[in-house]
Structures are given as structure tokens and as C-alpha cells.
Amino acid sequence: MAQLELQNVSLSFGEKQILDSVNLHVNQGEFVTILGPSGSGKSTLFHLIGGLLQPEKGSILLDQNKITGERGHISYMPQSASLLPWRTVLQNVILGQELTGVKDTAAARQMLQKAGLAGYENAYPHELSGGMKQRAAFIRALLSPQSVICLDEPFSALDELTRLEMQKWLLSIWQEHQKTILFVTHNIDEALFLSDRIVVLSQKPARVLREFEVPFPRPRSEEILLTPEFLEVKKEVYYTLKQGASMS
């Protein structure tokens, strides 16, 4: 487990400012979601955390150690499953371990079984449904040695029912392993259902508008989505998000 922190992070591409003094933190074992308008720079934050981009100002710390511009400290799962088509499911999920020279195929097989992918270890990505591919991609992230996982809208391409099933599955796996997760979405229901905290960003240049502590106890079931309490918090998040979308 690990603590991740961004301190006054700013970034521009040419004359266009993307991020403006963004501060956020994710505590050990916490599930934090970044919520913002489309194009607000949510994915750019992940590229900065992963060391693919360098901020103009500010610092990124992991366990109080500065990792600004450094790669290899986080496990990253993009919107598409990004499984290698020439590798089997088992070979895909142990890829992160292979890169560090430590393979645990027994643990990988156990995780695949828990994910409902038993019997598909030797299948190739084109033989899987969208939900199965996402499960395999998340297991790959979970089995990687890094203690922080960044998930970039991993369920956005799935239909509503499959998406909800994947959210419930993700919660069950995360609660078992308690890794530190930073999640990006523009779906308010998803953010509230999954998270401990929600960080709402404005439109570009992105600033942190507000943080919400999600008040619902764990474990959570889908019934919570239709309760008056859930809808009340959703309304508050929605109006904050709407405010952020109108800023320039």
C-alpha cells in the first residue's frame, strides 16, 4: 500500500493551460475518484503521475518521496483493456510481474478463477467479451508489483448492466486486496458507488473545485443507487460538476 500526493501541479501545452495548481492526495488503501467534465485534463493527470509527462510546476510524491517525471511507480489501466493479442489471458495478466522478473502463475490462476475466467487461461483476447477483457486487464494491474493503481475510465465502453456488474466485481476484489486506487470517470453514479472520496475538477485549466467524502458504508450493493440519500448526494455532486463545466 502507498500514499500518493500531488502538490500544486500545473501543466500547459503551448499557450493552452491544462492544469492549474492541482492538489490532491490518496491515502494508503483508499479509493479516490477524479470527476470532471470531458476534456478537463483527468487523463493528463495520470500521464503526469506515471512519469509520461513532466509538470511545469509542482511535485508528485509517493510515500513522501518525490517521483515527478519518473516511470514505473504506478500500475495503469487505460479505457481499453489493452491486452496483447498474441499472448494468452494468463500470459497477459502476469506481464507486469514478468517486467520485474518475478512471476507467480499460481496467484494469477487463482485470481482468474475468482474473476470468473477459469478455463480461459489459454484463450486469446479476441475470444473474450468486453467485460472479460476488462477483468483480465484489472487482474494484470492488481498483480503488478506497484502498490498504486490508476484506472482511467475502464468501464466506459461497456453497456449499463455489464458496467454495474464490473463495478461490483471491482469493489469485491479491491476490498479483499486494499490497494491504493485513483480512478477517473465522468459518471457520477459510478464515482459515488465506488469511492471513499471524490475530487471534482473544473473545465480547463483544471482546478480542484471540491472534495466529497462519500457517506455510504461498505460493503455496498446496487440497491443504494436508488435510495433518497444517494440521489441527494448525487444532486450535490452534479451541481458542482455543472459549475465546473461552465468555468473557463
Side-chain angles (χ1 to χ4, degrees):
M1 293 190 290
Q3 183 180 45
L4 179 70
E5 187 173 3
L6 276 69
Q7 298 177 341
N8 298 309
V9 170
S10 297
L11 178 71
S12 298
F13 293 141
E15 295 185 0
K16 189 165 187 176
Q17 188 168 15
I18 309 299
L19 305 172
D20 182 14
S21 298
V22 172
N23 290 282
L24 67 88
H25 70 280
V26 190
N27 295 320
Q28 289 191 358
E30 192 177 25
F31 197 126
V32 173
T33 293
I34 299 173
L35 189 65
S38 295
S40 60
K42 301 185 297 295
S43 297
T44 302
L45 277 174
F46 277 2
H47 294 155
L48 288 164
I49 294 167
L52 299 177
L53 294 173
Q54 180 92 14
E56 293 169 333
K57 297 178 183 176
S59 300
I60 300 167
L61 292 86
L62 184 64
D63 290 335
Q64 300 182 336
N65 296 311
K66 191 172 179 180
I67 62 165
T68 312
E70 297 180 6
R71 302 186 185 187
H73 293 285
I74 64 162
S75 179
Y76 175 64
M77 180 177 167
Q79 294 180 27
S80 61
S82 300
L83 301 176
L84 299 177
W86 60 88
R87 292 177 69 106
T88 65
V89 170
L90 181 61
Q91 290 170 341
N92 265 289
V93 300
I94 62 173
L95 180 60
Q97 293 184 332
E98 280 186 9
L99 295 175
T100 59
V102 180
K103 283 197 300 184
D104 188 348
T105 54
R109 288 180 183 277
Q110 187 177 35
M111 288 288 291
L112 288 169
Q113 185 173 15
K114 288 183 179 180
L117 292 172
Y120 288 91
E121 293 89 349
N122 297 317
Y124 288 89
H126 73 271
E127 300 175 87
L128 306 182
S129 68
M132 293 165 77
K133 289 177 184 176
Q134 292 303 91
R135 289 175 191 238
F138 182 67
I139 290 170
R140 178 178 60 192
L142 200 62
L143 287 172
S144 295
Q146 296 88 350
S147 53
V148 175
I149 302 177
C150 290
L151 304 177
D152 190 355
E153 298 193 59
F155 308 141
S156 60
L158 304 177
D159 66 78
E160 197 67 24
L161 290 177
T162 305
R163 184 175 185 146
L164 181 57
E165 288 304 310
M166 286 299 302
Q167 290 167 1
K168 292 191 291 184
W169 177 81
L170 172 58
L171 278 183
S172 68
I173 296 294
W174 169 74
Q175 284 166 190
E176 180 181 349
H177 292 268
Q178 289 291 299
K179 280 208 174 186
T180 303
I181 291 184
L182 185 60
F183 190 93
V184 158
T185 185
H186 57 259
N187 185 294
I188 299 174
D189 283 10
E190 182 167 73
L192 285 171
F193 185 57
L194 294 174
S195 314
D196 295 313
R197 277 189 299 117
I198 298 172
V199 178
V200 180
L201 297 182
S202 70
Q203 188 54 274
K204 289 195 192 85
R207 309 174 182 91
V208 174
L209 283 181
R210 185 174 171 186
E211 287 191 13
F212 290 87
E213 295 276 350
V214 179
F216 312 118
R218 300 186 186 275
R220 296 173 189 163
S221 65
E222 60 194 278
E223 286 75 20
I224 198 175
L225 297 169
L226 298 176
T227 62
E229 295 81 7
F230 187 93
L231 296 175
E232 190 62 33
V233 180
K234 179 180 177 180
K235 187 190 304 182
E236 196 173 356
V237 175
Y238 168 77
Y239 284 119
T240 304
L241 190 60
K242 188 176 180 181
Q243 174 195 351
S246 65
M247 296 175 68
S248 60

